[in-house]
Amino acid sequence: MAGDISSLGVGSGVLTADVIDQLKEADEARIVKPFDRKIDLNAQKQESYDILSSLTNTFKSSVSALSYDTLFDNKTVSVDGAAEVSVDAGANVESFTLETETLAKKDITKLGAVDSRTSSIASGSGVLNLEINGTTYNINYDENTTLDSLAQSITDAAGDTIDASILETSDGKFSLVISSKETGANQAITITDTDDGTNGDGSLDAALFDDSVEDGYEKIQDSTDAVFKYNGITTTRSTNNIDDLILGLDITLKEEGDFSNVTIKQDTSEIVGEVQLFVDNYNSLMSNLNDMTAYDKDSGALGVFQGDSFVNSFKRSISDSVTSRFNGDSLVNYGIEVDRYGVMSFDKSAFEAKLNDDQDSVKSFFTGETDDNGVETKGFFVSFNDNLKEYTKYDGLLTNFDNGLTKDAQNLSDARARAQASLDSRYNIMTQQFIAYDSMISQMNNSFSSLQMMIDSETKGS
């Protein structure tokens, strides 16, 4: 067929391949090219939708963050003194004073020094009793027991509650140090050397218990409870790390005689930061929506979603939400307002003043409240978040809109293919017709040429 087309017009000089190409090109511009423009526009819409979806989800995250009442529970703690204090979010704790009278301490005893940690420290068998908090540990020994082995025996028998370690207290002198693992008055350790665990003086080296010589037996520290005053109220605990005084309050006592002033305030920095993020994300979303739906009457330029009812409705919904009154109140009263150009601004100072003046009203407007009868009232950001969920949830309005764009793209592609196929078929037929017509004209021309020759011959003969 290629040969047929290439020779088209030979007979007629009129029905050429160029004529068919020009006719087909004109029909393609009229029938096919409009589909190409629509397909390109749809591709631009899908790209713009991806941006719109991302900005909407980012904005919703800001709205969601401001809908949680826990945002108002964070506190700052400043301590003028040596104590360490932390407060969990939501803890019902006010500023207080803390006076440390006595720190909680471990019980520590050093046995008298001996010359070797590996030589025998007993003349025979016996039992060393260690009593702590109502429990007695019986440590058996014999004439082969050394300072090392005695320390290990204590660790094996009582390692959960008692520490046993060996110190070189001076050159060539070694002492066994026995201490409680925990602090508190009930951690006092009573040490008794016996023959059988109940009677007798035992067989350990007397030097271990001699407190009359240098580097001899010594009570290093008595176990004690912590004694402190919380807002002037005397309180005791067995530890210096106190987390059971008030729920959510952690205190670590550091120095005896310390007087600490502890100031607790609401931490507004996170709330202020989230509000600023909300404002920034709103402006970013609305700026893009305005560009996507814009119409410039001077230049005639159109936004990709100009005239799209869904996108315009979505834009109005967001704009109306932030500018309308809610439960008799509005964002303007919290330093958040939208100017006549649709740009949102945030007066940080006004908002912080509102927080300091009446935190409960801010919290109530933002996140809602429940009255004494159990009736719940939604806050602005809770309600706004619920509305946005209708757009952003799985199979939500935005997803349906995206599915519509994808379906339109497929329909346009299919319609273009059908139009092109129909046009190709029409011009294939037309080409065959032109070939046939051209052949007929060629034959007619040949016949006319023969006739002309006969006429010319007759004319010359006469």
PDB file of all heavy atoms in Angstrom, residues 159-171:
ATOM      1  N   GLY A 159      23.478 -11.181  98.114  1.00  0.00           N
ATOM      2  CA  GLY A 159      23.826 -10.182  97.106  1.00  0.00           C
ATOM      3  C   GLY A 159      22.690  -9.286  96.659  1.00  0.00           C
ATOM      4  O   GLY A 159      22.931  -8.198  96.129  1.00  0.00           O
ATOM      5  N   ASP A 160      21.443  -9.700  96.889  1.00  0.00           N
ATOM      6  CA  ASP A 160      20.315  -8.859  96.478  1.00  0.00           C
ATOM      7  C   ASP A 160      20.137  -7.663  97.392  1.00  0.00           C
ATOM      8  O   ASP A 160      19.565  -6.643  96.979  1.00  0.00           O
ATOM      9  CB  ASP A 160      19.020  -9.677  96.461  1.00  0.00           C
ATOM     10  CG  ASP A 160      19.007 -10.696  95.334  1.00  0.00           C
ATOM     11  OD1 ASP A 160      19.778 -10.511  94.365  1.00  0.00           O
ATOM     12  OD2 ASP A 160      18.234 -11.665  95.427  1.00  0.00           O
ATOM     13  N   THR A 161      20.608  -7.785  98.645  1.00  0.00           N
ATOM     14  CA  THR A 161      20.374  -6.706  99.609  1.00  0.00           C
ATOM     15  C   THR A 161      21.652  -6.154 100.227  1.00  0.00           C
ATOM     16  O   THR A 161      21.638  -5.064 100.798  1.00  0.00           O
ATOM     17  CB  THR A 161      19.463  -7.204 100.753  1.00  0.00           C
ATOM     18  OG1 THR A 161      20.044  -8.377 101.335  1.00  0.00           O
ATOM     19  CG2 THR A 161      18.072  -7.522 100.232  1.00  0.00           C
ATOM     20  N   ILE A 162      22.748  -6.910 100.121  1.00  0.00           N
ATOM     21  CA  ILE A 162      23.992  -6.501 100.786  1.00  0.00           C
ATOM     22  C   ILE A 162      25.151  -6.545  99.794  1.00  0.00           C
ATOM     23  O   ILE A 162      25.284  -7.501  99.019  1.00  0.00           O
ATOM     24  CB  ILE A 162      24.298  -7.416 101.996  1.00  0.00           C
ATOM     25  CG1 ILE A 162      23.210  -7.284 103.067  1.00  0.00           C
ATOM     26  CG2 ILE A 162      25.664  -7.088 102.599  1.00  0.00           C
ATOM     27  CD1 ILE A 162      23.370  -8.241 104.231  1.00  0.00           C
ATOM     28  N   ASP A 163      25.965  -5.503  99.840  1.00  0.00           N
ATOM     29  CA  ASP A 163      27.188  -5.456  99.047  1.00  0.00           C
ATOM     30  C   ASP A 163      28.377  -5.822  99.929  1.00  0.00           C
ATOM     31  O   ASP A 163      28.461  -5.392 101.090  1.00  0.00           O
ATOM     32  CB  ASP A 163      27.430  -4.052  98.480  1.00  0.00           C
ATOM     33  CG  ASP A 163      26.605  -3.790  97.236  1.00  0.00           C
ATOM     34  OD1 ASP A 163      26.380  -4.741  96.462  1.00  0.00           O
ATOM     35  OD2 ASP A 163      26.175  -2.637  97.048  1.00  0.00           O
ATOM     36  N   ALA A 164      29.305  -6.612  99.396  1.00  0.00           N
ATOM     37  CA  ALA A 164      30.545  -6.944 100.109  1.00  0.00           C
ATOM     38  C   ALA A 164      31.710  -6.689  99.165  1.00  0.00           C
ATOM     39  O   ALA A 164      31.774  -7.256  98.077  1.00  0.00           O
ATOM     40  CB  ALA A 164      30.530  -8.400 100.563  1.00  0.00           C
ATOM     41  N   SER A 165      32.612  -5.811  99.567  1.00  0.00           N
ATOM     42  CA  SER A 165      33.745  -5.472  98.725  1.00  0.00           C
ATOM     43  C   SER A 165      35.004  -5.357  99.574  1.00  0.00           C
ATOM     44  O   SER A 165      34.939  -5.136 100.790  1.00  0.00           O
ATOM     45  CB  SER A 165      33.485  -4.158  97.983  1.00  0.00           C
ATOM     46  OG  SER A 165      33.244  -3.106  98.902  1.00  0.00           O
ATOM     47  N   ILE A 166      36.143  -5.502  98.931  1.00  0.00           N
ATOM     48  CA  ILE A 166      37.425  -5.444  99.637  1.00  0.00           C
ATOM     49  C   ILE A 166      38.187  -4.211  99.183  1.00  0.00           C
ATOM     50  O   ILE A 166      38.340  -3.975  97.982  1.00  0.00           O
ATOM     51  CB  ILE A 166      38.256  -6.716  99.372  1.00  0.00           C
ATOM     52  CG1 ILE A 166      37.513  -7.945  99.906  1.00  0.00           C
ATOM     53  CG2 ILE A 166      39.633  -6.604 100.017  1.00  0.00           C
ATOM     54  CD1 ILE A 166      38.176  -9.255  99.555  1.00  0.00           C
ATOM     55  N   LEU A 167      38.628  -3.430 100.152  1.00  0.00           N
ATOM     56  CA  LEU A 167      39.412  -2.231  99.868  1.00  0.00           C
ATOM     57  C   LEU A 167      40.819  -2.381 100.439  1.00  0.00           C
ATOM     58  O   LEU A 167      40.992  -2.918 101.545  1.00  0.00           O
ATOM     59  CB  LEU A 167      38.755  -0.998 100.502  1.00  0.00           C
ATOM     60  CG  LEU A 167      37.363  -0.600 100.004  1.00  0.00           C
ATOM     61  CD1 LEU A 167      36.903   0.668 100.725  1.00  0.00           C
ATOM     62  CD2 LEU A 167      37.352  -0.378  98.495  1.00  0.00           C
ATOM     63  N   GLU A 168      41.794  -1.911  99.698  1.00  0.00           N
ATOM     64  CA  GLU A 168      43.147  -1.814 100.251  1.00  0.00           C
ATOM     65  C   GLU A 168      43.230  -0.451 100.941  1.00  0.00           C
ATOM     66  O   GLU A 168      43.485   0.577 100.314  1.00  0.00           O
ATOM     67  CB  GLU A 168      44.194  -1.949  99.150  1.00  0.00           C
ATOM     68  CG  GLU A 168      45.620  -2.015  99.705  1.00  0.00           C
ATOM     69  CD  GLU A 168      46.659  -2.325  98.634  1.00  0.00           C
ATOM     70  OE1 GLU A 168      46.285  -2.436  97.445  1.00  0.00           O
ATOM     71  OE2 GLU A 168      47.852  -2.463  98.990  1.00  0.00           O
ATOM     72  N   THR A 169      43.007  -0.440 102.238  1.00  0.00           N
ATOM     73  CA  THR A 169      42.891   0.814 102.982  1.00  0.00           C
ATOM     74  C   THR A 169      44.232   1.489 103.239  1.00  0.00           C
ATOM     75  O   THR A 169      44.291   2.696 103.473  1.00  0.00           O
ATOM     76  CB  THR A 169      42.185   0.550 104.320  1.00  0.00           C
ATOM     77  OG1 THR A 169      42.878  -0.500 105.017  1.00  0.00           O
ATOM     78  CG2 THR A 169      40.736   0.136 104.086  1.00  0.00           C
ATOM     79  N   SER A 170      45.286   0.737 103.225  1.00  0.00           N
ATOM     80  CA  SER A 170      46.639   1.288 103.305  1.00  0.00           C
ATOM     81  C   SER A 170      47.579   0.276 102.669  1.00  0.00           C
ATOM     82  O   SER A 170      47.149  -0.826 102.293  1.00  0.00           O
ATOM     83  CB  SER A 170      47.035   1.582 104.756  1.00  0.00           C
ATOM     84  OG  SER A 170      47.041   0.389 105.527  1.00  0.00           O
ATOM     85  N   ASP A 171      48.821   0.611 102.547  1.00  0.00           N
ATOM     86  CA  ASP A 171      49.764  -0.251 101.857  1.00  0.00           C
ATOM     87  C   ASP A 171      49.843  -1.621 102.531  1.00  0.00           C
ATOM     88  O   ASP A 171      50.238  -1.739 103.685  1.00  0.00           O
ATOM     89  CB  ASP A 171      51.147   0.411 101.835  1.00  0.00           C
ATOM     90  CG  ASP A 171      52.120  -0.349 100.947  1.00  0.00           C
ATOM     91  OD1 ASP A 171      51.643  -1.075 100.041  1.00  0.00           O
ATOM     92  OD2 ASP A 171      53.337  -0.221 101.153  1.00  0.00           O
TER      93      ASP A 171
END
